[in-house]
Amino acid sequence: MKINMAIKHLTPNFYKNFQCIGSQCEDDCCHGWTISIDKKTFTAYEKHTNQELRLKAKENIKKVKKSHGHWGEIQFKENGACKFLQDDGLCFIHRVAGGEALSSTCKTYPRMTIDKGNEIRHTLSLSCPEVSRQVLLDPSAMLLSITERKGHAVAKTPNNANTFLQQLACHIIENHALSIEVRLWIIGMLVHRDDSKLSHIDFINQLAEIDERDGLETHFLALTKNHTLHWWALRALSNVLLGSTNKNRRGYGPMSQCLDAIFNFFSQDSDGNKIEELYYEWQQKWQPWLATRPHILNNYLRYWVYHQDFPSENEPAQNSYQLLVADFFLLRAYLCALTIAGAEPSEQLMIGLFYSYHSQRLHNSTFADAVRNSLNQSNLNSDAAIYSMLKL
Ligand code: SF4
């Protein structure tokens, strides 16, 4: 039952500053993914006064009736483009019936809301290249404005343990004195530990003392490094991506370039030396480049926690953490593979990779499960194995 209550709206700067760049966009959102049509829009097209629209809708929208929000699905041309996309790059529906006639998917993408009962988070999908630019390149992208408005919402019992873990994760991410890998490792220790004997806060205070005494980076360096395991994980996860990528999907160009680079780089035999070479690239090229743009990876982690509502309430926190590390592990390796293949570190290269990776990652409902299965098959499901994926 919905009740009247004060609802907190969280709006990050990247959301406020986003504007679709239309024809300037290196991709478009009219091909290569499921464009669902809500029931209201579907019915409106069936009864529309414009006969051409009525006919085209009948021919090109398949009735699937999965839910009121997902009543129909737009069919695609052979090249993967939406059947309503005209040769001039404009949308037929928009042309004949105006922007208001678009389905909510077309009207809102890449905008999204995360409804947490008395809190609404406004966010954008990283699968849009312009969103990737706003999120990663603006140092103030993750600054949040909070406003309160009266509204109707379903009261939800807050999951205090998850909310607390999320706050701690944000706090740790903001500790810019530590490397990204060490920050992710600390978040992992929080996720995996039982706080019934020692609270998370006392644990963090202990870590702060260790850091002051001999540096947390030193302890992180002492963790086991297993590059053979990295090799298997990288190959297995890249095969998951390869399986979900085809030339009609969004982001295909940069993603296939990246997968070509990674598969060319590896021979078929397990080779830890290749991994050494990959991380040498990270240390020699990417780390210095990123050091002058520290906001890029800080923003990425903050965005990930905010947008995915990490750790998800729908699964054990350890599972959310496994995916967080898998994403970081792959993106880091792919950046290295791209520069080994001859590219130079650049914002454009980074944006191309991040948006194309998330086009596969966020618009494929089976991707997360496939990644998890793959990690489990490669024996990368224990906390120690996951931490080892962070090591260079
Ligand atoms: S992908 Fe983003 S910037 Fe490109 S056309 Fe779609 S909304 Fe606009």
Side-chain angles (χ1 to χ4, degrees):
M1 187 184 67
K2 288 194 170 181
I3 52 172
N4 199 5
M5 60 166 103
I7 299 176
K8 219 159 58 165
H9 286 256
L10 271 55
T11 314
N13 270 4
F14 73 79
Y15 184 94
K16 283 194 223 158
N17 295 338
F18 170 76
Q19 266 193 328
C20 169
I21 53 170
S23 57
Q24 310 281 308
C25 180
E26 53 267 67
D27 205 331
D28 67 64
C29 36
C30 301
H31 78 278
W33 61 313
T34 305
I35 303 179
S36 56
I37 302 288
D38 53 282
K39 187 179 179 186
K40 197 169 151 217
T41 310
F42 189 94
T43 315
Y45 293 164
E46 278 182 323
K47 297 181 180 163
H48 204 275
T49 49
N50 183 304
Q51 191 193 15
E52 206 185 345
L53 174 55
R54 279 203 310 276
L55 284 174
K56 273 189 186 279
K58 196 171 174 197
E59 275 168 25
N60 301 319
I61 304 175
K62 186 174 163 201
K63 198 188 254 187
V64 292
K65 295 199 326 193
K66 286 190 183 161
S67 66
H68 276 215
H70 193 160
W71 200 255
E73 278 176 11
I74 291 192
Q75 303 297 291
F76 292 95
K77 300 177 194 168
E78 256 178 39
N79 65 1
C82 168
K83 286 222 171 160
F84 294 95
L85 188 65
Q86 306 174 138
D87 292 344
D88 59 5
L90 298 176
C91 168
F92 169 80
I93 299 174
H94 197 288
R95 181 171 66 77
V96 301
E100 278 311 300
L102 295 173
S103 69
S104 71
T105 308
C106 299
K107 238 186 286 187
T108 54
Y109 178 83
R111 293 178 181 78
M112 300 164 75
T113 47
I114 299 169
D115 184 351
K116 292 171 66 70
N118 64 348
E119 180 183 297
I120 304 272
R121 290 184 184 184
H122 297 277
T123 184
L124 301 166
S125 172
L126 219 50
S127 59
C128 156
E130 182 57 16
V131 172
S132 287
R133 260 187 291 277
Q134 290 295 336
V135 170
L136 300 177
L137 303 185
D138 174 7
S140 69
M142 290 310 302
L143 284 182
L144 289 176
S145 307
I146 303 175
T147 51
E148 224 170 63
R149 289 179 231 156
K150 282 269 180 210
H152 287 87
V154 178
K156 288 185 185 165
T157 314
N159 183 330
N160 291 330
N162 280 43
T163 307
F164 190 45
L165 271 177
Q166 187 169 110
Q167 284 166 354
L168 292 176
C170 291
H171 176 73
I172 291 159
I173 292 167
E174 287 311 310
N175 188 340
H176 299 165
L178 298 170
S179 68
I180 286 284
E181 286 85 357
V182 169
R183 283 179 264 167
L184 284 169
W185 171 51
I186 298 173
I187 294 171
M189 287 194 282
L190 286 172
V191 162
H192 289 117
R193 67 185 298 278
D194 170 8
D195 64 344
S196 59
K197 293 198 184 80
L198 180 72
S199 74
H200 285 328
I201 295 289
D202 287 341
F203 176 69
I204 287 182
N205 287 337
Q206 278 188 356
L207 290 181
E209 279 170 28
I210 296 172
D211 193 32
E212 215 158 277
R213 203 174 51 237
D214 37 30
L216 277 172
E217 302 278 349
T218 317
H219 286 262
F220 178 69
L221 285 176
L223 294 181
T224 313
K225 177 158 101 171
N226 188 340
H227 280 175
T228 307
L229 212 60
H230 281 217
W231 191 93
W232 282 109
L234 194 50
R235 206 168 80 142
L237 295 179
S238 298
N239 273 321
V240 171
L241 273 166
L242 192 66
S244 71
T245 304
N246 69 57
K247 67 177 176 9
N248 289 335
R249 276 192 85 89
R250 293 194 47 220
Y252 173 75
M255 198 67 246
S256 65
Q257 191 191 354
C258 190
L259 289 172
D260 283 352
I262 205 87
F263 285 115
N264 282 342
F265 181 67
F266 288 117
S267 59
Q268 284 304 304
D269 299 325
S270 161
D271 190 348
N273 290 337
K274 281 282 186 190
I275 293 286
E276 290 280 354
E277 205 183 310
L278 202 66
Y279 294 151
Y280 184 74
E281 193 74 5
W282 182 253
Q283 284 157 333
Q284 295 302 307
K285 283 211 174 138
W286 283 103
Q287 279 182 339
W289 187 85
L290 286 162
T292 58
R293 301 158 182 85
H295 51 277
I296 292 185
L297 289 184
N298 294 337
N299 284 3
Y300 175 65
L301 290 189
R302 282 297 309 273
Y303 167 86
W304 214 99
V305 168
Y306 175 83
H307 182 87
Q308 302 281 357
D309 198 18
F310 170 87
S312 165
E313 291 182 4
N314 305 320
E315 60 182 1
Q318 292 86 337
N319 288 9
S320 299
Y321 178 70
Q322 197 182 28
L323 286 179
L324 167 64
V325 173
D327 282 337
F328 175 73
F329 171 79
L330 283 178
L331 290 165
R332 184 179 64 184
Y334 291 162
L335 286 172
C336 296
L338 286 169
T339 48
I340 287 173
E344 281 303 312
S346 70
E347 290 177 349
Q348 202 186 350
L349 190 71
M350 190 129 205
I351 298 304
L353 171 64
F354 274 66
Y355 105 80
S356 60
Y357 175 77
H358 288 90
S359 295
Q360 321 301 319
R361 167 79 172 82
L362 300 174
H363 300 297
N364 180 346
S365 54
T366 57
F367 185 75
D369 284 340
V371 165
R372 211 165 274 134
N373 291 338
S374 204
L375 289 176
N376 295 346
Q377 281 159 17
S378 307
N379 292 326
L380 278 159
N381 45 3
S382 70
D383 51 354
I386 295 280
Y387 303 154
S388 91
M389 285 173 76
L390 294 168
K391 294 248 347 190
L392 294 172

